[in-house]
Amino acid sequence: MNFTKLKIGLLAAVLSATTLSVSAKDFLNVSYDPTRELYDNFNKDFGAYWKKATGQNINFKQSHGGSGKQARAVIDGLGADVVTLALAADIDEIAKRGLLPKDWQKKFPHNSTPYTSTIVFLVRKGNPKGIRDWGDLVKPGVEIITPNPKTSGGARWNYLAAWAWAKHQPAGNDAKAQEFVRQIYKQTKVLDSGARGSTTTFAERGIGDVLLAWENEAYLAVREQPGKFEIITPSLSILAEPPVAIVEKNVQKDGNQHLAKAYLNYLYSPAGQNIAAKNYYRPRNATVLAQYKSQFKPLKLVTIDQEFGGWSKVQKQHFENDGIFDQIVKANQTK
């Protein structure tokens, strides 16, 4: 990444903002479930940076929930200045309503994805069910916790990672992958609406043997309840790329254009990348990532574009009404 250009972009946004009132500005980031801690930390750091540069205080507001539900809330009028969601497809839906440009992914580096994650397993201490890879999830008696792909972006990454693993097995194909994923949902004990709800079900309520989780969410559970859980990294998973975007129509209305641009640019700065890594997201900055190499285990990662043909195709084929996920649910109801 060209950090000289990034610094210039940040400086331009700050210089433009100096003409604004120094009174506190309201600023709303509409995000998905597991980013609460990340943006609590990020907002404090960016707020101090912005105050020093412009003299202006920011009244940060956060909204969290399942990524699909959050996108719908913005479409229905929630006044987000920026969205930091789990799926590009969810931001595409906002773009279809004219709230931001359809080429929004070109506005920031790495297709507007400042950090990445992947899908891992969280099990109880001692791993009593002996879960080591995806195939172990469908052993008799294993109870799985995962969110609902209809409302949760993380759940869709879970679903697609499982599908990819099954298809990469010897003689694997789409039919076998669908049957494997069907069995996963057959053994799912609770289907929460969002990733944080599933973590609560597993970690707080004590339900299930294994949680399919964002890597950062699994690490957070281990940190908050030491000695209770273990993280299992499967042999293959998916490169999860949660994107960010400015909701152009809203920032033009509330005068937050420069603030929103600086806010998202700061995610790519070394400071922002360190905050992401400390919250267990994989930073894009190779130098920062190298500082946390002991934290992030290497594994084979497939991508949404190479494995599935991109989010537009995936959304239509798997997650729209009467798509493959709905077919899986109906099949489980009859078996």
Side-chain angles (χ1 to χ4, degrees):
M1 181 188 300
N2 190 327
F3 281 101
T4 300
K5 290 183 178 179
L6 176 61
K7 289 177 181 177
I8 291 172
L10 278 167
L11 180 60
V14 170
L15 290 175
S16 298
T18 57
T19 63
L20 301 173
S21 168
V22 295
S23 60
K25 291 285 290 182
D26 288 340
F27 187 82
L28 175 59
N29 176 2
V30 174
S31 198
Y32 64 105
D33 261 338
T35 61
R36 301 165 196 265
E37 294 77 15
L38 166 63
Y39 284 108
D40 279 346
N41 297 153
F42 180 82
N43 289 347
K44 291 174 184 176
D45 199 89
F46 176 77
Y49 158 80
W50 189 256
K51 172 71 172 178
K52 183 177 180 180
T54 70
Q56 186 178 59
N57 292 310
I58 306 172
N59 179 25
F60 290 106
K61 298 180 179 179
Q62 289 292 124
S63 175
H64 297 274
S67 187
K69 291 180 69 176
Q70 293 293 82
R72 171 51 57 186
V74 173
I75 291 168
D76 289 343
L78 182 60
D81 292 292
V82 298
V83 286
T84 56
L85 297 178
L87 305 176
D90 289 331
I91 300 182
D92 283 339
E93 288 300 311
I94 300 171
K96 288 177 184 177
R97 272 63 174 191
L99 295 174
L100 49 85
K102 291 185 178 179
D103 65 346
W104 60 270
Q105 285 189 293
K106 297 180 180 179
K107 304 298 182 180
F108 294 93
H110 301 294
N111 289 323
S112 292
T113 307
Y115 44 76
T116 69
S117 191
T118 190
I119 303 304
V120 299
F121 310 148
L122 189 67
V123 300
R124 305 197 184 281
K125 191 67 176 180
N127 194 8
K129 293 296 178 77
I131 295 167
R132 296 298 175 193
D133 211 343
W134 290 97
D136 297 321
L137 299 179
V138 297
K139 293 190 300 187
V142 174
E143 293 185 346
I144 300 166
I145 303 297
T146 183
N148 189 334
K150 286 290 192 175
T151 54
S152 166
R156 295 181 200 180
W157 290 115
N158 293 350
Y159 172 108
L160 295 171
W163 188 289
W165 178 86
K167 195 171 179 180
H168 278 252
Q169 299 312 293
N173 56 39
D174 283 325
K176 290 181 179 179
Q178 182 168 337
E179 174 57 25
F180 175 70
V181 174
R182 183 197 69 78
Q183 188 60 42
I184 283 181
Y185 286 99
K186 185 73 172 179
Q187 295 182 211
T188 295
K189 187 72 172 175
V190 179
L191 206 62
D192 289 289
S193 64
R196 181 55 58 88
S198 285
T199 302
T200 299
T201 294
F202 182 79
E204 302 293 338
R205 297 172 61 197
I207 298 173
D209 302 303
V210 56
L211 172 69
L212 308 189
W214 292 94
E215 182 178 48
N216 60 287
E217 189 79 343
Y219 273 109
L220 186 63
V222 169
R223 185 181 74 186
E224 291 188 345
Q225 298 188 54
K228 292 187 65 174
F229 308 113
E230 297 178 17
I231 296 172
I232 305 298
T233 302
S235 61
L236 178 147
S237 195
I238 195 162
L239 178 65
E241 299 178 292
V244 302
I246 298 172
V247 186
E248 299 284 356
K249 191 171 183 179
N250 291 344
V251 297
Q252 288 169 9
K253 186 187 303 182
D254 63 23
N256 281 345
Q257 299 99 315
H258 301 302
L259 173 57
K261 185 174 182 180
Y263 184 84
L264 294 187
N265 271 331
Y266 199 73
L267 284 169
Y268 291 90
S269 71
Q273 292 284 284
N274 267 290
I275 293 168
K278 288 177 180 176
N279 284 274
Y280 309 109
Y281 289 88
R282 298 185 179 219
R284 289 290 198 178
N285 183 314
T287 302
V288 176
L289 180 60
Q291 297 170 13
Y292 293 86
K293 61 181 180 181
S294 62
Q295 178 172 289
F296 299 113
K297 292 185 179 180
L299 75 163
K300 182 178 181 180
L301 295 173
V302 300
T303 69
I304 192 75
D305 290 337
Q306 294 175 344
E307 193 72 20
F308 296 98
W311 271 114
S312 180
K313 182 178 179 180
V314 165
Q315 181 66 25
K316 183 176 181 179
Q317 183 176 4
H318 289 268
F319 302 119
E320 286 190 358
N321 291 339
D322 299 319
I324 293 175
F325 176 70
D326 282 353
Q327 295 168 27
I328 285 171
V329 172
K330 290 177 182 178
N332 280 338
Q333 291 172 345
T334 60
K335 290 186 179 181

PDB file of all heavy atoms in Angstrom, residues 292-309:
ATOM      1  N   TYR A 292       2.481  -9.450  14.312  1.00  0.00           N
ATOM      2  CA  TYR A 292       1.486 -10.292  14.994  1.00  0.00           C
ATOM      3  C   TYR A 292       1.465 -11.709  14.420  1.00  0.00           C
ATOM      4  O   TYR A 292       0.476 -12.417  14.545  1.00  0.00           O
ATOM      5  CB  TYR A 292       0.101  -9.660  14.862  1.00  0.00           C
ATOM      6  CG  TYR A 292      -0.053  -8.356  15.596  1.00  0.00           C
ATOM      7  CD1 TYR A 292       0.324  -7.152  14.999  1.00  0.00           C
ATOM      8  CD2 TYR A 292      -0.576  -8.314  16.881  1.00  0.00           C
ATOM      9  CE1 TYR A 292       0.185  -5.950  15.665  1.00  0.00           C
ATOM     10  CE2 TYR A 292      -0.714  -7.114  17.564  1.00  0.00           C
ATOM     11  CZ  TYR A 292      -0.332  -5.937  16.942  1.00  0.00           C
ATOM     12  OH  TYR A 292      -0.466  -4.732  17.618  1.00  0.00           O
ATOM     13  N   LYS A 293       2.569 -12.131  13.809  1.00  0.00           N
ATOM     14  CA  LYS A 293       2.569 -13.426  13.128  1.00  0.00           C
ATOM     15  C   LYS A 293       2.327 -14.596  14.078  1.00  0.00           C
ATOM     16  O   LYS A 293       1.782 -15.622  13.676  1.00  0.00           O
ATOM     17  CB  LYS A 293       3.886 -13.622  12.358  1.00  0.00           C
ATOM     18  CG  LYS A 293       5.143 -13.625  13.219  1.00  0.00           C
ATOM     19  CD  LYS A 293       6.374 -13.803  12.336  1.00  0.00           C
ATOM     20  CE  LYS A 293       7.659 -13.812  13.161  1.00  0.00           C
ATOM     21  NZ  LYS A 293       8.866 -13.965  12.306  1.00  0.00           N
ATOM     22  N   SER A 294       2.717 -14.457  15.344  1.00  0.00           N
ATOM     23  CA  SER A 294       2.474 -15.544  16.296  1.00  0.00           C
ATOM     24  C   SER A 294       0.994 -15.639  16.675  1.00  0.00           C
ATOM     25  O   SER A 294       0.533 -16.676  17.163  1.00  0.00           O
ATOM     26  CB  SER A 294       3.304 -15.341  17.564  1.00  0.00           C
ATOM     27  OG  SER A 294       2.947 -14.134  18.225  1.00  0.00           O
ATOM     28  N   GLN A 295       0.253 -14.585  16.440  1.00  0.00           N
ATOM     29  CA  GLN A 295      -1.164 -14.548  16.806  1.00  0.00           C
ATOM     30  C   GLN A 295      -2.042 -15.225  15.759  1.00  0.00           C
ATOM     31  O   GLN A 295      -3.048 -15.858  16.099  1.00  0.00           O
ATOM     32  CB  GLN A 295      -1.598 -13.094  16.974  1.00  0.00           C
ATOM     33  CG  GLN A 295      -3.065 -12.884  17.306  1.00  0.00           C
ATOM     34  CD  GLN A 295      -3.349 -11.441  17.642  1.00  0.00           C
ATOM     35  OE1 GLN A 295      -2.947 -10.941  18.685  1.00  0.00           O
ATOM     36  NE2 GLN A 295      -4.041 -10.733  16.745  1.00  0.00           N
ATOM     37  N   PHE A 296      -1.665 -15.091  14.494  1.00  0.00           N
ATOM     38  CA  PHE A 296      -2.500 -15.583  13.405  1.00  0.00           C
ATOM     39  C   PHE A 296      -1.886 -16.836  12.792  1.00  0.00           C
ATOM     40  O   PHE A 296      -0.860 -16.768  12.119  1.00  0.00           O
ATOM     41  CB  PHE A 296      -2.672 -14.500  12.345  1.00  0.00           C
ATOM     42  CG  PHE A 296      -3.342 -13.249  12.860  1.00  0.00           C
ATOM     43  CD1 PHE A 296      -2.640 -12.055  12.950  1.00  0.00           C
ATOM     44  CD2 PHE A 296      -4.660 -13.275  13.272  1.00  0.00           C
ATOM     45  CE1 PHE A 296      -3.254 -10.898  13.420  1.00  0.00           C
ATOM     46  CE2 PHE A 296      -5.283 -12.128  13.749  1.00  0.00           C
ATOM     47  CZ  PHE A 296      -4.581 -10.940  13.824  1.00  0.00           C
ATOM     48  N   LYS A 297      -2.530 -17.980  13.010  1.00  0.00           N
ATOM     49  CA  LYS A 297      -2.007 -19.236  12.485  1.00  0.00           C
ATOM     50  C   LYS A 297      -2.186 -19.301  10.967  1.00  0.00           C
ATOM     51  O   LYS A 297      -3.226 -18.923  10.443  1.00  0.00           O
ATOM     52  CB  LYS A 297      -2.731 -20.408  13.144  1.00  0.00           C
ATOM     53  CG  LYS A 297      -2.420 -20.576  14.616  1.00  0.00           C
ATOM     54  CD  LYS A 297      -3.081 -21.827  15.164  1.00  0.00           C
ATOM     55  CE  LYS A 297      -2.746 -22.013  16.639  1.00  0.00           C
ATOM     56  NZ  LYS A 297      -3.377 -23.222  17.205  1.00  0.00           N
ATOM     57  N   PRO A 298      -1.169 -19.806  10.267  1.00  0.00           N
ATOM     58  CA  PRO A 298      -1.313 -19.942   8.812  1.00  0.00           C
ATOM     59  C   PRO A 298      -2.271 -21.089   8.477  1.00  0.00           C
ATOM     60  O   PRO A 298      -2.330 -22.094   9.191  1.00  0.00           O
ATOM     61  CB  PRO A 298       0.116 -20.267   8.347  1.00  0.00           C
ATOM     62  CG  PRO A 298       0.763 -20.902   9.539  1.00  0.00           C
ATOM     63  CD  PRO A 298       0.155 -20.248  10.748  1.00  0.00           C
ATOM     64  N   LEU A 299      -3.046 -20.918   7.428  1.00  0.00           N
ATOM     65  CA  LEU A 299      -3.935 -21.970   6.956  1.00  0.00           C
ATOM     66  C   LEU A 299      -4.281 -21.689   5.505  1.00  0.00           C
ATOM     67  O   LEU A 299      -4.068 -20.579   5.010  1.00  0.00           O
ATOM     68  CB  LEU A 299      -5.211 -22.061   7.796  1.00  0.00           C
ATOM     69  CG  LEU A 299      -6.298 -20.986   7.618  1.00  0.00           C
ATOM     70  CD1 LEU A 299      -7.615 -21.470   8.213  1.00  0.00           C
ATOM     71  CD2 LEU A 299      -5.894 -19.677   8.259  1.00  0.00           C
ATOM     72  N   LYS A 300      -4.772 -22.700   4.825  1.00  0.00           N
ATOM     73  CA  LYS A 300      -5.160 -22.533   3.428  1.00  0.00           C
ATOM     74  C   LYS A 300      -6.468 -21.749   3.384  1.00  0.00           C
ATOM     75  O   LYS A 300      -7.445 -22.121   4.035  1.00  0.00           O
ATOM     76  CB  LYS A 300      -5.340 -23.887   2.751  1.00  0.00           C
ATOM     77  CG  LYS A 300      -5.699 -23.784   1.271  1.00  0.00           C
ATOM     78  CD  LYS A 300      -5.815 -25.154   0.623  1.00  0.00           C
ATOM     79  CE  LYS A 300      -6.162 -25.018  -0.870  1.00  0.00           C
ATOM     80  NZ  LYS A 300      -6.285 -26.356  -1.507  1.00  0.00           N
ATOM     81  N   LEU A 301      -6.475 -20.652   2.617  1.00  0.00           N
ATOM     82  CA  LEU A 301      -7.659 -19.810   2.518  1.00  0.00           C
ATOM     83  C   LEU A 301      -8.131 -19.742   1.074  1.00  0.00           C
ATOM     84  O   LEU A 301      -7.340 -19.455   0.161  1.00  0.00           O
ATOM     85  CB  LEU A 301      -7.355 -18.394   3.019  1.00  0.00           C
ATOM     86  CG  LEU A 301      -7.014 -18.243   4.502  1.00  0.00           C
ATOM     87  CD1 LEU A 301      -6.569 -16.812   4.789  1.00  0.00           C
ATOM     88  CD2 LEU A 301      -8.212 -18.600   5.377  1.00  0.00           C
ATOM     89  N   VAL A 302      -9.407 -20.007   0.850  1.00  0.00           N
ATOM     90  CA  VAL A 302      -9.999 -19.802  -0.463  1.00  0.00           C
ATOM     91  C   VAL A 302     -10.642 -18.416  -0.470  1.00  0.00           C
ATOM     92  O   VAL A 302     -10.912 -17.839   0.577  1.00  0.00           O
ATOM     93  CB  VAL A 302     -11.048 -20.885  -0.789  1.00  0.00           C
ATOM     94  CG1 VAL A 302     -10.413 -22.266  -0.767  1.00  0.00           C
ATOM     95  CG2 VAL A 302     -12.231 -20.835   0.177  1.00  0.00           C
ATOM     96  N   THR A 303     -10.874 -17.883  -1.667  1.00  0.00           N
ATOM     97  CA  THR A 303     -11.502 -16.565  -1.780  1.00  0.00           C
ATOM     98  C   THR A 303     -12.893 -16.703  -2.391  1.00  0.00           C
ATOM     99  O   THR A 303     -13.181 -17.648  -3.126  1.00  0.00           O
ATOM    100  CB  THR A 303     -10.670 -15.605  -2.637  1.00  0.00           C
ATOM    101  OG1 THR A 303     -10.701 -16.045  -4.003  1.00  0.00           O
ATOM    102  CG2 THR A 303      -9.228 -15.541  -2.146  1.00  0.00           C
ATOM    103  N   ILE A 304     -13.720 -15.741  -2.102  1.00  0.00           N
ATOM    104  CA  ILE A 304     -15.097 -15.757  -2.600  1.00  0.00           C
ATOM    105  C   ILE A 304     -15.125 -15.678  -4.120  1.00  0.00           C
ATOM    106  O   ILE A 304     -15.961 -16.324  -4.772  1.00  0.00           O
ATOM    107  CB  ILE A 304     -15.901 -14.613  -1.949  1.00  0.00           C
ATOM    108  CG1 ILE A 304     -17.394 -14.787  -2.212  1.00  0.00           C
ATOM    109  CG2 ILE A 304     -15.429 -13.260  -2.400  1.00  0.00           C
ATOM    110  CD1 ILE A 304     -18.045 -15.844  -1.408  1.00  0.00           C
ATOM    111  N   ASP A 305     -14.210 -14.910  -4.707  1.00  0.00           N
ATOM    112  CA  ASP A 305     -14.211 -14.757  -6.161  1.00  0.00           C
ATOM    113  C   ASP A 305     -13.739 -16.024  -6.861  1.00  0.00           C
ATOM    114  O   ASP A 305     -14.378 -16.501  -7.803  1.00  0.00           O
ATOM    115  CB  ASP A 305     -13.331 -13.572  -6.573  1.00  0.00           C
ATOM    116  CG  ASP A 305     -13.943 -12.237  -6.188  1.00  0.00           C
ATOM    117  OD1 ASP A 305     -15.180 -12.183  -6.009  1.00  0.00           O
ATOM    118  OD2 ASP A 305     -13.193 -11.263  -6.049  1.00  0.00           O
ATOM    119  N   GLN A 306     -12.625 -16.575  -6.413  1.00  0.00           N
ATOM    120  CA  GLN A 306     -12.063 -17.751  -7.075  1.00  0.00           C
ATOM    121  C   GLN A 306     -12.905 -19.001  -6.848  1.00  0.00           C
ATOM    122  O   GLN A 306     -13.082 -19.821  -7.757  1.00  0.00           O
ATOM    123  CB  GLN A 306     -10.637 -17.992  -6.598  1.00  0.00           C
ATOM    124  CG  GLN A 306      -9.656 -16.899  -7.018  1.00  0.00           C
ATOM    125  CD  GLN A 306      -8.266 -17.107  -6.425  1.00  0.00           C
ATOM    126  OE1 GLN A 306      -8.083 -17.860  -5.489  1.00  0.00           O
ATOM    127  NE2 GLN A 306      -7.287 -16.419  -6.983  1.00  0.00           N
ATOM    128  N   GLU A 307     -13.439 -19.151  -5.647  1.00  0.00           N
ATOM    129  CA  GLU A 307     -14.148 -20.383  -5.297  1.00  0.00           C
ATOM    130  C   GLU A 307     -15.620 -20.355  -5.717  1.00  0.00           C
ATOM    131  O   GLU A 307     -16.182 -21.379  -6.100  1.00  0.00           O
ATOM    132  CB  GLU A 307     -14.056 -20.608  -3.793  1.00  0.00           C
ATOM    133  CG  GLU A 307     -14.472 -21.991  -3.340  1.00  0.00           C
ATOM    134  CD  GLU A 307     -13.455 -23.068  -3.709  1.00  0.00           C
ATOM    135  OE1 GLU A 307     -12.277 -22.748  -3.981  1.00  0.00           O
ATOM    136  OE2 GLU A 307     -13.846 -24.241  -3.725  1.00  0.00           O
ATOM    137  N   PHE A 308     -16.241 -19.171  -5.667  1.00  0.00           N
ATOM    138  CA  PHE A 308     -17.691 -19.100  -5.857  1.00  0.00           C
ATOM    139  C   PHE A 308     -18.136 -18.123  -6.941  1.00  0.00           C
ATOM    140  O   PHE A 308     -19.329 -18.015  -7.206  1.00  0.00           O
ATOM    141  CB  PHE A 308     -18.372 -18.718  -4.541  1.00  0.00           C
ATOM    142  CG  PHE A 308     -18.203 -19.734  -3.451  1.00  0.00           C
ATOM    143  CD1 PHE A 308     -17.213 -19.577  -2.480  1.00  0.00           C
ATOM    144  CD2 PHE A 308     -19.017 -20.851  -3.380  1.00  0.00           C
ATOM    145  CE1 PHE A 308     -17.055 -20.508  -1.462  1.00  0.00           C
ATOM    146  CE2 PHE A 308     -18.868 -21.796  -2.376  1.00  0.00           C
ATOM    147  CZ  PHE A 308     -17.889 -21.627  -1.410  1.00  0.00           C
ATOM    148  N   GLY A 309     -17.212 -17.379  -7.523  1.00  0.00           N
ATOM    149  CA  GLY A 309     -17.590 -16.469  -8.592  1.00  0.00           C
ATOM    150  C   GLY A 309     -18.093 -15.119  -8.144  1.00  0.00           C
ATOM    151  O   GLY A 309     -18.726 -14.387  -8.908  1.00  0.00           O
TER     152      GLY A 309
END
